[in-house]
Each structure stands twice: as C-alpha cells, then as structure tokens.
Amino acid sequence: MVDKIYFGRQPSYAPLIKSPIWGLIVLFFLMSLSVPLWIALVAGVGVILALLLVYYPTYIFHLYDRWMISENGIRYLPMKPYGEKLHIILFPKQNNFRSIQFENIQTARIISRT
C-alpha cells in the first residue's frame, strides 16, 4: 500500500538561478549599448530584485503547487500571504507544510488546468 501520494511541482532553486542570469543579461545588453556602468548595474540589480520580489511571488501558483495525501490527511504548502510565497522562493527546501485532517473536510472537488 502507498503511504503518501504527491501532487504538483516541488519548489526548486530555479527562481534563484534564473533571476541573476536575467540580471546579467540586462547588464551586458545595456553595457553593449554604451550605457554608463552604474546605470547598467542598477538596472541589472533591479531586474534581479523585481523577479525575486514581484514576478515569482505573483505567479507562484503557476510554478509550484505541492500537495501530499497520506493516511493522516492532506498536507499542502501555504501560499496566501506574501511572506510565505517569498519564503518558498528564497528557501525552497525548507518548506513549512500545513495539514488538514480528513475529518475536517466536508466536500472535495478536482479542478484540472491544462
């Protein structure tokens, strides 16, 4: 018998890797246009921060949605407050799952996104 069933994608380090790469792309692009170095640096750091602090927290539902069903109940990653979303992005392996006991569930439905 299966003890646990997982659904959804597990958080990874992809946002922490992709953000600096995009920041460097913007930095080198602006430097190739002969923009002053300090402006290019500010723009590159701005892209990194915008991706980490705005883009990824806004679209985290499309990136990750981890659920686990076991004999005890359902465990899930809370993604409502901004702080929890940011924690999942910055520390993807330190997840704080919340649980729902089966006796607390009154109805259930399956929603499929394609």
Side-chain angles (χ1 to χ4, degrees), residues 33-89:
L33 296 176
S34 300
V35 173
L37 180 61
W38 70 273
I39 293 175
L41 281 171
V42 168
V45 171
V47 165
I48 293 170
L49 292 176
L51 286 173
L52 284 177
L53 301 177
V54 178
Y55 176 76
Y56 287 118
T58 302
Y59 293 102
I60 195 166
F61 291 110
H62 301 291
L63 300 171
Y64 310 115
D65 195 12
R66 191 71 166 164
W67 292 77
M68 179 189 68
I69 298 177
S70 67
E71 294 176 358
N72 300 330
I74 299 174
R75 296 181 68 203
Y76 66 96
L77 280 175
M79 295 190 208
K80 291 292 182 188
Y82 176 79
E84 289 175 348
K85 293 177 185 178
L86 195 58
H87 185 269
I88 291 170
I89 291 169

Side-chain angles (χ1 to χ4, degrees), residues 22-37:
W22 280 108
L24 286 173
I25 289 171
V26 168
L27 173 81
F28 290 133
F29 176 72
L30 291 177
M31 287 176 61
S32 71
L33 296 176
S34 300
V35 173
L37 180 61

